[in-house]
Amino acid sequence: SGIGAATALELARCGARVILATRSARRGEAAASRIRRETGNNEVLFMHLDLASLRSVRAFASTFLRQEPQLHLLINNAGVSAGGTTEDGFSLPFQVNHLGHFLLTQLLLERLRSCAPSRVVIVASSAHCAGRLRPERLGRPPSGLFSTFQDYCDSKLANVLHARELATREQGTQVTCYAVHPGFVNTSLFRHAPLWLQALLVPLAWLLFLEAAEGAQAVLDCATRDGLEPLSGRYFTHGGPRVPWPAGRDDRLARALWEGSERLLGL
């Protein structure tokens, strides 16, 4: 739904073969069917992927690599703002927004390299400005009154740092990576947020936020615009590359996040 569906629709309009990697089979199949109907592109498929389950991420990657010989573009789009703990024992926002995407990217990286030039686009957020990642506490929910919101901000900082470190490690491979803030978009992202936060955000969303198709444009730019390769690892908004907040350009923290994520995943 939201930005992901709008992005998939435009890629299908361009003639791409698009895999919708989605948690809900019902909604995923319906979205794929709608996009095929609207674009006339029959190369739009649903595959099940639940980022809150590392078992599901590994199963998806195995099936994808067996069935799909080509991969030129990986868009890590899914995001949640809800609190809670996954079946793997990690905080829900951290696993869905970062750790699951990190594992998925690692499992598909060799295919991206073999199909290069290829790109990884990570949907981040300006909320990374409030992120406070502590390498020794990765995957554990923060404490405090605003813990759920802090958890979300931490995961968005992880997105920015993931793109930065991936770009560093993939220099010379023709795999490039970009973190993108799509703007403040009226989607269902905060449907599981605390009621007090929903009461604040929902009216604002209807009055001020972008539509999903507008938010998808920044993602599509990073996915398809020519000549972005020298900007691999950078943080983008609708206006192009931007300097992230200080924590988002901390190379030591990016390296510590990468190594900590590998440790948590047993890679």
Side-chain angles (χ1 to χ4, degrees):
S1 63
I3 296 170
T7 302
L9 176 67
E10 290 308 312
L11 290 172
R13 279 195 175 126
C14 294
R17 179 175 174 84
V18 182
I19 307 298
L20 299 179
T22 307
R23 180 169 56 92
S24 166
R26 178 181 59 81
R27 292 172 62 202
E29 292 282 14
S33 176
R34 176 176 57 80
I35 292 170
R36 288 194 298 267
R37 189 168 61 250
E38 288 188 27
T39 63
N41 181 349
N42 288 322
E43 299 292 304
V44 180
L45 307 173
F46 158 77
M47 286 179 62
H48 179 261
L49 171 63
D50 183 358
L51 290 158
S53 165
L54 298 179
R55 183 168 40 87
S56 175
V57 176
R58 289 188 166 95
F60 169 84
S62 176
T63 301
F64 179 90
L65 292 171
R66 191 168 61 249
Q67 295 181 358
E68 299 291 329
Q70 300 291 319
L71 179 60
H72 303 100
L73 177 60
L74 173 63
I75 301 182
N76 290 326
N77 169 84
V80 298
S81 63
T85 304
T86 68
E87 65 181 43
D88 302 291
F90 302 114
S91 105
L92 183 65
F94 184 79
Q95 180 166 330
V96 171
N97 300 355
H98 165 67
L99 199 61
H101 283 142
F102 181 89
L103 176 60
L104 179 65
T105 304
Q106 291 299 95
L107 295 174
L108 299 181
L109 196 50
E110 195 53 51
R111 181 61 50 84
L112 285 162
R113 287 172 183 153
S114 70
C115 295
S118 54
R119 294 182 182 183
V120 178
V121 178
I122 301 174
V123 179
S125 168
S126 61
H128 78 274
C129 69
R132 297 196 306 258
L133 284 174
R134 296 177 177 83
E136 71 279 2
R137 289 189 53 82
L138 285 182
R140 287 187 253 168
S143 56
L145 183 61
F146 303 106
S147 60
T148 300
F149 184 66
Q150 184 64 56
D151 215 358
Y152 175 76
C153 295
D154 293 352
S155 72
K156 294 291 107 179
L157 174 57
N159 291 157
V160 175
L161 293 172
H162 179 198
R164 192 175 183 91
E165 183 67 11
L166 179 60
T168 298
R169 291 171 182 253
E170 291 303 304
Q171 284 179 352
T173 67
Q174 289 192 289
V175 177
T176 53
C177 185
Y178 314 91
V180 55
H181 168 55
F184 296 102
V185 181
N186 188 8
T187 70
S188 57
L189 173 65
F190 289 99
R191 65 190 180 278
H192 299 303
L195 290 176
W196 66 267
L197 188 55
Q198 287 188 40
L200 177 65
L201 287 173
V202 170
L204 277 176
W206 286 109
L207 287 169
L208 303 174
F209 286 15
L210 301 172
E211 292 300 313
E214 296 174 287
Q217 194 54 57
V219 179
L220 288 161
D221 283 348
C222 285
T224 63
R225 191 193 298 171
D226 289 336
L228 286 189
E229 287 76 14
L231 300 175
S232 183
R234 297 283 299 274
Y235 170 71
F236 284 75
T237 69
H238 274 276
R242 291 288 182 268
V243 177
W245 289 77
R249 51 184 194 267
D250 184 334
D251 288 327
R252 284 184 16 181
L253 185 58
R255 203 160 44 247
L257 171 67
W258 185 286
E259 292 169 355
S261 298
E262 285 186 323
R263 199 161 50 246
L264 293 176
L265 294 166
L267 295 177

